[in-house]
Amino acid sequence: MTIKNMEFTCPKCGEVSSYAVQTNGEVTEQTGLTSHRNLGNLRSLAVPYKNSPNRDAYGPLVPQGIVVHYTQGRYEGAIGHFQNPASKVSAHFIVARDGRRVQMVPLPDPDTNGPRDGRYTAWHCKGGNTRYFGIEHEFGYTGATYPADWTEEMMDSSAELSAYMCALYGIPIEVPLAPNERDWFTGLGGHYNVPGNSHTDPGPYFPWDYYINRVEYFASRMADSGPTLTSGTPLQTAQGSEAPSYQTL
């Protein structure tokens, strides 16, 4: 597996930016990127953090996409499950049916010289852990979900997270694979798309078209107004120590 640097010219402003993609072979230049690394006007999000010990420090995570999951359990139970070392599972975010959300694993800094630690990977999709962010949604049933599971509050809360990461890391806002395809993708996909996994989430009723429309909506809003984001986003520090104990968005 190799890491290849790609270039993208923003169709809106002409800025040329680069981003890293993990590949087992040749990759073609990505199209459809809606944002770039000029982050001067990117609005940061206020998301609470509850640290999960279930993560690797063998990265780095070179993000090329976002994997959509469901929790198969209630929101609070999923948080406790991810904080239990015996579970050996985690994700970057969990989103509740009522729109609440929490971050559980640090994100890498898009600036390689920035202060945020990018070595950690969440344990959510096996061989895809070094490629993908994971967002868990409350809640699926064993092997299936139903249309009513995907509430508007949850979809909007999750879509805002996806929009933030797409803007921050140059991830295209698109779903390149069908649910029955397993392959490495760049963009957004389900757990069922990631090679080496046997999972079926987020199931046949996940509203992909609606979700992508909402991601695009939030991405456009983030670039227009609000407090700006810099690579100096504050880190939480352990008491009496200069070393960060965890980092939020």
Side-chain angles (χ1 to χ4, degrees):
M1 185 178 297
T2 59
I3 297 175
K4 182 174 181 178
N5 289 322
M6 308 294 291
E7 282 196 352
F8 169 69
T9 302
C10 177
K12 296 180 181 179
C13 71
E15 178 181 340
V16 178
S17 58
S18 61
Y19 57 98
V21 173
Q22 289 199 35
T23 175
N24 292 320
E26 289 300 313
V27 294
T28 59
E29 185 171 352
Q30 302 299 318
T31 59
L33 294 178
T34 60
S35 197
H36 51 71
R37 302 213 178 208
N38 180 1
L39 304 177
N41 293 321
L42 181 63
R43 179 170 58 86
S44 187
L45 304 179
V47 180
Y49 189 100
K50 294 188 178 181
N51 192 63
S52 171
N54 301 328
R55 59 191 190 185
D56 278 325
Y58 307 122
L61 169 61
V62 181
Q64 67 184 66
I66 299 167
V67 174
V68 173
H69 303 263
Y70 59 57
T71 63
Q72 298 191 38
R74 298 287 185 178
Y75 176 70
E76 292 81 2
I79 293 173
H81 191 58
F82 287 0
Q83 289 183 314
N84 180 1
S87 73
K88 301 185 184 300
V89 66
S90 64
H92 295 88
F93 300 97
I94 305 174
V95 183
R97 290 166 61 85
D98 61 9
R100 289 174 295 159
R101 59 194 177 189
V102 64
Q103 181 183 353
M104 303 204 68
V105 175
L107 301 182
D109 202 308
D111 178 359
T112 55
N113 295 316
R116 293 191 284 183
D117 194 340
R119 64 185 173 174
Y120 293 114
T121 60
W123 296 351
H124 66 107
C125 61
K126 295 185 179 179
N129 289 342
T130 59
R131 300 170 183 254
Y132 300 123
F133 298 115
I135 303 179
E136 294 274 357
H137 299 81
E138 180 198 27
F139 54 92
Y141 309 95
T142 303
T145 58
Y146 299 94
D149 288 335
W150 307 108
T151 66
E152 182 178 344
E153 295 84 357
M154 181 165 61
M155 290 293 91
D156 275 4
S157 182
S158 174
E160 190 177 41
L161 289 174
S162 286
Y164 176 89
M165 290 186 286
C166 286
L168 195 61
Y169 300 101
I171 296 170
I173 303 177
E174 59 188 21
V175 183
L177 299 180
N180 61 348
E181 293 181 272
R182 287 194 189 273
D183 200 359
W184 303 117
F185 61 88
T186 302
L188 291 89
H191 198 175
Y192 49 46
N193 292 126
V194 182
N197 289 267
S198 60
H199 292 256
T200 59
D201 53 319
Y205 297 111
F206 186 79
W208 281 110
D209 290 343
Y210 175 82
Y211 188 72
I212 291 299
N213 285 338
R214 300 307 291 166
V215 175
E216 290 174 340
Y217 166 75
F218 285 113
S220 66
R221 286 188 59 190
M222 285 177 189
D224 290 338
S225 63
T228 59
L229 172 77
T230 69
S231 60
T233 298
L235 297 171
Q236 301 292 332
T237 56
Q239 187 173 6
S241 170
E242 295 300 320
S245 57
Y246 60 82
Q247 145 262 316
T248 66
L249 287 174

